Amino acid sequence: MSVPKAGIIYNDIKPIAGRVAIELKDQLTAAGWDVCVTTSIGGILGYCNPHSPVCHTPIEGLTPPGFDSDMEFAVVLGGDGTVLAASRQVAPCGIPLLTVNTGHMGFLTESYLNQLPQAMEQVMLGKYEIEERVMITVQVLRGDSILWEALCLNEMVLHREPLTSMCHFEIEIGRHAAVDIAADGVIVSTPTGSTAYSLSAGGPVVTPGVPVLQLVPICPHSLASRALVFPDSEPVNIYPVNVPRMVMVVDGNGGCYVLPEDRVYLERSPYTARFIRLQSPEFFRILREKLGWGLPHIAKPTSVELP
C-alpha cells in the first residue's frame, strides 16, 4: 500500500506560520504521511528593475521540489498573499489547497489556526469539497518572443510610473475591434479578483464560477470608459501607447516593465486554483463577513399599527 502524500506551504516572514508548519509536519509524519514542506517565496514573482526589465520564470517552473500530482492536498499557512503565491506554485499539478489564515483579511482562506486540528481531521478523512477558481495566463511579448509570463488568480494591472500619470491603451478583446482607453491604468480581473483591486476601482463583484473576465479602467479620463465584463473565452491584447515604459503588476506581488514595442496578452489558463472547502461554498457569507455586504441596516423600518 502506497504512503499518502501531503504538502505544507507557509509564509516564512511570519514566525507563527513557521512554527505551525513544523508541528503539522510532525503530526502528519507520525500519522504515516509523506510530507513535503516549502515556503511561499517560490511563488512570489519578483519585480524587475530599469536595468533588467525582464525576469522570466516559466509558469511550470515555480512548482516546488516534491510537489506533484500524487499529492492529495497541501496546507497553506499565511494570508491572502501566501494563498496567491501558493496557487501559482501548485496549480500546474492540480493539488487541492487547504488555506489557513495567519494574516489579517483572509478573504481567500478557508480556516483559522484555532480550527486547524478539526480541519485536518476532516481533510484526512476526505470529508470536503473542492472549489475550482479560474486563473489567467499573463504574458509580455515582443514580436513572437515571450519576455515574461505568470499565472494570475486575482488581477493584472498595467499603469505608468508614477501611477497618477494618465496613459493611453489600445485594447483588443477577442475578434472585436480595438478600443482606445485613456486612464491612470487598466485592470483585467478574474471573478476571484473582482473583490480586490477591481472592486476599489469601481468594478462589479462577480460570483465565482461565472465564466467571465472584466476590464476596469483606473480613474478613466472619459465618462464613457467604464468597467466591461466579457466571456473568459475571449483573449485580450493590450498595446501600451506611452513612452518610455509602463509597469505591469500581477496579483500585487510581482511584475515587469512593458515597453512601447511590447504587448500584454491574457487568456484563460488551462490550470485552475483548487481550494478545499470544509462546507459547501457560500460566497455571500464571505462577502458579508469580510466586506460587510448585505448587512441589515440599523434603521430598517418595522411594521407599526396605524391609529
Side-chain angles (χ1 to χ4, degrees):
M1 183 176 179
S2 61
V3 176
K5 188 175 182 181
I8 300 172
I9 302 173
Y10 69 97
N11 184 345
D12 59 347
I13 296 177
K14 298 180 178 179
I16 188 170
R19 291 197 301 270
V20 174
I22 295 172
E23 295 170 359
L24 184 57
K25 179 186 178 182
D26 292 342
Q27 293 170 7
L28 286 169
T29 302
W33 288 71
D34 179 15
V35 184
C36 296
V37 181
T38 190
T39 70
S40 60
I41 191 67
I44 302 297
L45 301 171
Y47 289 95
C48 304
N49 60 64
H51 306 292
S52 180
V54 174
C55 182
H56 179 212
T57 301
I59 286 172
E60 290 80 6
L62 297 181
T63 304
F67 284 69
D68 54 39
S69 57
D70 294 331
M71 190 168 281
E72 294 192 19
F73 64 87
V75 180
V76 180
L77 300 166
D80 287 340
T82 307
V83 175
L84 291 168
S87 66
R88 280 190 292 275
Q89 290 173 287
V90 305
C93 302
I95 301 171
L97 297 176
L98 173 64
T99 53
V100 182
N101 186 17
T102 66
H104 301 289
M105 171 66 78
F107 200 92
L108 296 174
T109 54
E110 176 68 9
S111 186
Y112 294 91
L113 278 178
N114 61 355
Q115 302 168 331
L116 183 57
Q118 300 93 322
M120 289 304 304
E121 181 179 357
Q122 191 171 335
V123 169
M124 291 169 69
L125 292 173
K127 295 181 178 180
Y128 57 85
E129 298 180 26
I130 294 179
E131 181 185 21
E132 297 198 27
R133 296 288 185 95
V134 166
M135 304 183 81
I136 52 179
T137 299
V138 181
Q139 295 178 328
V140 177
L141 298 105
R142 184 171 300 162
D144 295 326
S145 300
I146 299 175
L147 303 182
W148 192 93
E149 68 176 351
L151 276 179
C152 170
L153 178 58
N154 265 359
E155 75 280 296
M156 183 283 310
V157 183
L158 185 62
H159 63 84
R160 189 177 175 183
E161 292 182 303
L163 180 60
T164 52
S165 297
M166 190 183 71
C167 41
H168 296 266
F169 309 90
E170 292 181 359
I171 301 175
E172 294 176 351
I173 298 177
R175 56 181 173 78
H176 304 288
V179 296
D180 294 320
I181 291 180
D184 283 0
V186 291
I187 303 169
V188 177
S189 167
T190 67
T192 299
S194 71
T195 53
Y197 194 177
S198 171
L199 181 63
S200 298
V205 173
V206 180
T207 57
V210 179
V212 297
L213 301 176
Q214 57 178 309
L215 171 69
V216 182
I218 303 171
C219 300
H221 189 58
S222 169
L223 290 173
S225 296
R226 289 294 176 261
L228 174 70
V229 177
F230 57 94
D232 63 12
S233 59
E234 302 271 18
V236 180
N237 281 289
I238 303 177
Y239 300 88
V241 180
N242 292 76
V243 289
R245 66 184 182 226
M246 303 186 76
V247 177
M248 186 184 69
V249 180
V250 171
D251 282 345
N253 70 8
C256 68
Y257 287 104
V258 179
L259 303 183
E261 59 265 34
D262 302 335
R263 66 183 169 99
V264 178
Y265 177 77
L266 305 99
E267 66 177 359
R268 177 172 176 164
S269 172
Y271 305 127
T272 60
R274 307 181 75 224
F275 293 117
I276 288 175
R277 302 305 184 202
L278 303 176
Q279 53 188 342
S280 295
E282 220 305 303
F283 184 65
F284 286 0
R285 175 183 60 82
I286 298 172
L287 281 183
R288 187 167 56 250
E289 292 178 355
K290 304 294 185 180
L291 298 180
W293 183 85
L295 289 174
H297 195 280
I298 58 172
K300 185 176 180 180
T302 59
S303 58
V304 294
E305 292 186 8
L306 296 176

